[in-house]
Amino acid sequence: MTPDIWIFDLLQGKAENITRNDSDDAQPLWHGETIYFLSDRDDHKRANLWAYHVGTKATRQLTFFKDFDVRFPGIGPRELVLENGGRLYLLDLATEQLREVDIRVVTDRATLKPRVENVASLIRGASLSPTGKRVVFEARGDLFSVPAEHGVVRPLTRTSGIAERSPSWSPDGRWIAFFSDRSGEYELTLCAADGTGEERRLTALGPGYRYAPVWSPDSRQVVFIDQAMKIWLHDVEHAETRFIDQMLWQYHGGLSGFRFSWSADSRWLAYAGDLDHRQSAIVLYDTREQARHQVTSGFYDDSWPVFDPDGKYLYYRTGRHFAPVYSDLDNTWIYANTTQLVAVPLRRDVASPLAPRNDEEPVKDRAKSEPGDKDKEKEKDEKKDQDGGKSKEGDEPAKDTGAGKKVKAVEIDLAEFERRAVILPAAAGRYAELEAVSGKLLYRRLPRTGSADESATLLYWDLEKREEKTVLSGVDSVELSADRQKLLVRKGRDYAIIEPKEGQKMDKKLATGGLESAVDPVAEWRQLFTDAWRFQRDYFYDPGLHGVDWPGLRERYGRLLEDAVTRWDVNYLIGELIGELNASHTYRSGGDLESAPSRGGGLSRRRLCPGPGRVPDPAHPRTGGLGSGRALAAAGAGGGREGGRLRAGGEWRAGRHGRGTLGGLPGSGQPARLSQGQQPAQPRGRAGGAGADPRERGPAAASRLDRGQTPTGGRGLGRARRLRLCAGHGPGRTERAGAAVPRSGDQGRPDH
């Protein structure tokens, strides 16, 4: 819906639509017999200044800008000011001639000077070193190596104008793999783990966004998924990148958490593959044969597979526990907490982890070992090593993992794979982040749907003892080291390295509070602008981007970036760029924004206005002012954060620190008052006194906005508003649908 401009006759109570078209018409300014407003009805679809004559009802165009929209019009006695393309213009109201205002500001440009910033609160990713001695963090687009306990924090990158994302430490300890946009697009890149030497770009895939890379145990291959849901496998030794699979239903949230698991010998890759009916099945990819195998049917939703390091089992989670709960509000069953944990023997000769056990007393062999038996066994072992690790004829030789260790080849019987699956006894619920160590399956149990719990618990299932043990409570994320001896856990913003054992504590937190980065605002803003442009290019639902010249718009708005001196300016430009797509739900926010101290305040006094001749209905009250309905609802919900109490007559008394909620009771005849030690000033233009009956007030009390107050309870304008109706838009919003232009007051400027 696009807005129109209306005139409302206060004497006759009639409204007239003076624009009545499909264009965006907004920001009316009344001067004499002329109403000036913004409209994008011309051939270029740009918001320009138009004029409507009240007497003749004629409409004419006054400005003819083609590249940028006119913004922020304001009117005075003789001139009208407006902005276009970062320039201010004055329109002479008598001659309707437009001229640019030459503005020269002498400044030290302090906001553009490089500075050092603490980036501890901006950590976005982490990867544990192979033995848990260090952790590499991503924070504000740079990488940092942090010691587990002793040592220095080592910056691995120092690039304000380049973003480094999703670091991953190689199992051999030599490399950090990450994605860098140094080339103009996000490409897989390597750097030395100790920070020496030059970066090495591994891929040249071009446009697209890529998610966290996962190393193979031998540090020779890296797998990752991109925003197009394509899975790529890169061979580091041979510098080859090949496409191996295509997902169907993944979006940013699912792609960010997409997990891969490698078998110990680096041959097999396990992940959850999308199916046409929007569930997922377990997929095993054979990197040696370059073959994809779907090993579960997808009848149930199976996901998060993880290999047992001993080569015996594959674990995964499955949604097959059905315990419906009937709704209290409608005739509906809901099926929550359906997830269970599964173990599958990889070969037919591997016993089920839940196979029946039978204790037998061992029989001692009375025959003494003959002399020389130990020497024969030693010779046998040496012969086995000389034969390449073959234990018997036909066995695969042990494979060198690249870290000086040999791992036995993992063999999988693909036939009847799912029939060997068994449900582990852990209670059904919600699970995430499965990890496996020898003889144990680790997992995070999330709060059950409908429960009052707010935090997750890290546990493990012991296959030998067949029991569940708690490792640590309140864990928000977990990562297992390559040697499977350490765990990196996070609670809120705190990180610690623990062991995969029962009863761990976060008593030695990592020193992330001192992470500092050198920030060059100009370079960083350029990268942020480019990122915003790329995100729309890569994620917008329409590959044609609504037919706009997206590369051309990048260049056009990029030129304005040279004049930006604050993050407010950058955010505004990004909003204008996104607005060119003319689509909703395309936002931008955040960054280093300066803001003045503020405190919450209550709404001013309101009364219930049931209307002339009507008696208030407690079940369906009619509110007599902006915000009354919300105040009543809040009062009914128990007041503010610090609590409050309801006094006789329907007055809500604020609790500690004045944080009670406003509101009167329907039908009580009492106003909703601000009770914090004093009453607010009487609003202007009210009919009747403070104790007057609401039914005697008449239309004048039906809707009003007090001086200095906004409808949302935000910053006031400091003056009364004119009565102007802009159908389809809130106050001060003039952008096309989808443009994230700051609302009125966001930058300290008035609405009109």
Side-chain angles (χ1 to χ4, degrees):
M1 182 177 72
T2 55
D4 281 315
I5 307 297
W6 293 69
I7 298 178
F8 187 79
D9 191 318
L10 297 175
L11 297 179
Q12 300 184 21
K14 296 181 180 179
E16 176 188 3
N17 186 338
I18 66 173
T19 51
R20 200 180 298 277
N21 62 66
D22 294 334
S23 302
D24 281 337
D25 303 307
Q27 296 287 85
L29 305 166
W30 202 325
H31 184 272
E33 292 296 308
T34 303
I35 297 177
Y36 300 92
F37 63 96
L38 300 183
S39 177
D40 62 357
R41 64 181 68 186
D42 65 9
D43 294 338
H44 299 284
K45 302 300 179 184
R46 286 285 166 208
N48 273 289
L49 187 66
W50 292 68
Y52 171 84
H53 194 276
V54 177
T56 64
K57 301 185 183 301
T59 301
R60 64 189 186 280
Q61 186 173 358
L62 300 181
T63 63
F64 300 87
F65 295 104
K66 299 179 181 180
D67 291 336
F68 302 102
D69 293 314
V70 171
R71 296 295 189 201
F72 316 119
I75 201 166
R78 292 178 297 277
E79 293 175 311
L80 185 151
V81 64
L82 56 90
E83 180 270 340
N84 180 268
R87 300 290 183 266
L88 291 181
Y89 297 85
L90 283 175
L91 179 78
D92 188 299
L93 298 179
T95 65
E96 295 186 347
Q97 296 297 311
L98 191 71
R99 64 182 177 87
E100 182 178 347
V101 180
D102 185 20
I103 298 178
R104 300 180 183 276
V105 179
V106 178
T107 174
D108 58 3
R109 299 172 68 86
T111 58
L112 305 181
K113 294 180 179 179
R115 62 186 187 276
V116 175
E117 288 277 351
N118 185 289
V119 297
S121 63
L122 299 175
I123 293 175
R124 294 293 181 268
S127 180
L128 187 59
S129 68
T131 61
K133 295 295 185 182
R134 280 186 168 264
V135 179
V136 58
F137 287 100
E138 170 205 337
R140 195 163 180 153
D142 277 321
L143 304 183
F144 302 84
S145 176
V146 177
E149 187 173 2
H150 306 292
V152 297
V153 174
R154 183 183 300 129
L156 300 179
T157 62
R158 301 176 181 86
T159 53
S160 283
I162 300 169
E164 289 90 13
R165 300 179 182 268
S166 306
S168 180
W169 210 309
S170 65
D172 63 8
R174 296 178 59 195
W175 306 105
I176 305 293
F178 58 95
F179 287 104
S180 169
D181 68 347
R182 183 183 294 273
S183 66
E185 300 291 348
Y186 283 104
E187 302 289 356
L188 186 63
T189 306
L190 284 187
C191 74
D194 61 2
T196 61
E198 299 293 329
E199 295 179 3
R200 178 157 58 104
R201 190 179 66 170
L202 301 182
T203 62
L205 296 175
Y209 188 84
R210 285 97 203 184
Y211 295 86
V214 180
W215 286 93
S216 62
D218 61 6
S219 301
R220 293 170 180 168
Q221 300 177 90
V222 180
V223 65
F224 57 90
I225 193 168
D226 65 14
Q227 98 291 342
M229 298 175 281
K230 296 180 179 179
I231 298 178
W232 301 88
L233 183 65
H234 180 81
D235 188 314
V236 178
E237 286 188 336
H238 299 91
E240 295 177 353
T241 306
R242 70 174 186 269
F243 165 79
I244 63 173
D245 205 355
Q246 174 73 59
M247 298 295 100
L248 303 175
W249 312 111
Q250 300 291 326
Y251 298 95
H252 178 68
L255 293 169
S256 299
F258 199 89
R259 294 301 181 104
F260 300 96
S261 179
W262 287 92
S263 62
D265 65 349
S266 301
R267 173 183 173 181
W268 300 92
L269 185 65
Y271 54 91
D274 289 343
L275 302 177
D276 290 337
H277 62 308
R278 289 184 177 265
Q279 293 198 145
S280 58
I282 302 303
V283 172
L284 297 178
Y285 184 82
D286 187 343
T287 61
R288 188 179 68 186
E289 302 296 332
Q290 299 186 18
R292 179 188 187 275
H293 304 278
Q294 179 182 323
V295 293
T296 63
S297 65
F299 184 83
Y300 299 104
D301 196 22
D302 303 327
S303 60
W304 217 302
V306 57
F307 277 104
D308 164 33
D310 299 329
K312 294 181 178 180
Y313 304 105
L314 180 78
Y315 307 103
Y316 61 91
R317 66 182 186 183
T318 182
R320 61 178 72 190
H321 177 78
F322 304 107
V325 178
Y326 202 68
S327 171
D328 290 340
L329 302 179
D330 52 18
N331 300 324
T332 302
W333 292 99
I334 64 169
Y335 296 83
N337 308 306
T338 64
T339 308
Q340 294 177 289
L341 301 176
V342 172
V344 184
L346 294 178
R347 302 185 309 277
R348 287 186 290 268
D349 62 347
V350 176
S352 166
L354 299 181
R357 295 184 292 188
N358 184 29
D359 295 333
E360 292 286 357
E361 186 68 28
V363 178
K364 296 181 179 180
D365 188 1
R366 296 182 179 179
K368 295 183 179 180
S369 300
E370 296 182 4
D373 284 349
K374 293 183 179 180
D375 294 336
K376 292 180 180 179
E377 289 295 329
K378 183 177 180 181
E379 292 177 3
K380 184 178 179 181
D381 291 339
E382 292 176 352
K383 181 67 165 57
K384 178 180 173 180
D385 292 338
Q386 293 173 2
D387 291 341
K390 293 183 179 180
S391 58
K392 61 181 180 179
E393 186 176 354
D395 280 355
E396 281 286 334
K399 184 174 182 179
D400 187 350
T401 63
K405 297 180 180 179
K406 291 187 177 181
V407 177
K408 185 177 180 180
V410 176
E411 294 297 327
I412 301 177
D413 291 330
L414 298 172
E416 299 185 338
F417 184 91
E418 192 172 17
R419 296 191 65 175
R420 300 194 296 272
V422 294
I423 304 293
L424 296 179
R430 299 172 59 232
Y431 293 96
E433 290 173 294
L434 276 63
E435 300 281 4
V437 299
S438 182
K440 298 176 183 177
L441 172 64
L442 293 105
Y443 44 86
R444 268 200 323 132
R445 177 176 288 146
L446 308 179
R448 291 176 61 84
T449 300
S451 74
D453 296 337
E454 297 182 354
S455 61
T457 302
L458 179 62
L459 309 104
Y460 68 80
W461 179 262
D462 191 313
L463 270 65
E464 176 63 28
K465 297 180 180 180
R466 299 191 182 184
E467 60 183 8
E468 185 179 71
K469 294 294 184 180
T470 298
V471 179
L472 184 65
S473 299
V475 176
D476 294 319
S477 67
V478 60
E479 180 186 344
L480 182 66
S481 63
D483 68 357
R484 302 180 187 265
Q485 301 300 311
K486 300 291 184 179
L487 292 169
L488 173 66
V489 294
R490 177 178 65 86
K491 282 187 178 183
R493 292 183 178 179
D494 294 328
Y495 291 82
I497 297 174
I498 62 175
E499 296 181 353
K501 298 178 181 179
E502 181 184 5
Q504 296 292 294
K505 297 180 180 180
M506 286 188 66
D507 50 2
K508 293 183 179 180
K509 299 176 182 178
L510 296 181
T512 58
L515 298 186
E516 291 186 337
S517 180
V519 176
D520 180 350
V522 175
E524 187 178 68
W525 293 345
R526 176 66 62 181
Q527 193 281 329
L528 289 170
F529 178 86
T530 303
D531 245 0
W533 180 87
R534 285 189 300 231
F535 291 160
Q536 295 297 331
R537 178 200 64 187
D538 297 337
Y539 289 93
F540 197 65
Y541 81 99
D542 174 21
L545 294 156
H546 283 182
V548 304
D549 179 11
W550 199 236
L553 289 172
R554 175 187 181 181
E555 182 179 354
R556 181 184 301 175
Y557 282 97
R559 290 195 297 268
L560 297 183
L561 197 62
E562 298 174 1
D563 296 328
V565 293
T566 68
R567 182 61 189 271
W568 288 106
D569 298 338
V570 178
N571 281 5
Y572 173 74
L573 286 178
I574 292 175
E576 290 291 278
L577 171 68
I578 296 174
E580 297 284 351
L581 294 172
N582 196 26
S584 63
H585 294 79
T586 50
Y587 310 120
R588 92 286 175 267
S589 62
D592 298 327
L593 303 177
E594 295 183 3
S595 58
S598 63
R599 60 179 298 179
L603 299 174
S604 61
R605 198 160 99 179
R606 297 284 183 258
R607 282 186 175 275
L608 301 176
C609 296
R614 297 186 182 182
V615 178
D617 180 1
H620 301 89
R622 294 181 56 178
T623 59
L626 296 176
S628 299
R630 279 186 290 180
L632 287 169
R641 185 174 58 189
E642 298 293 337
R645 53 195 176 93
L646 191 64
R647 302 184 64 185
E651 178 184 353
W652 183 258
R653 174 68 64 177
R656 188 161 55 94
H657 305 309
R659 290 175 180 165
T661 308
L662 305 177
L665 292 181
S668 67
Q670 296 294 329
R673 294 195 293 272
L674 180 64
S675 301
Q676 197 172 348
Q678 64 179 32
Q679 292 279 52
Q682 290 283 347
R684 299 182 179 184
R686 293 188 63 165
D693 192 307
R695 290 171 291 180
E696 299 175 359
R697 294 182 180 274
S703 179
R704 63 180 65 85
L705 191 63
D706 291 347
R707 179 182 179 87
Q709 183 185 6
T710 63
T712 59
R715 294 186 295 274
L717 304 179
R719 57 185 175 83
R721 292 175 181 265
R722 295 185 179 91
L723 181 60
R724 288 201 298 271
L725 301 180
C726 219
H729 277 251
R733 287 190 71 86
T734 63
E735 70 276 11
R736 291 189 300 280
V741 179
R743 285 181 179 269
S744 59
D746 278 0
Q747 298 188 30
R749 53 182 171 74
D751 275 2
H752 311 297

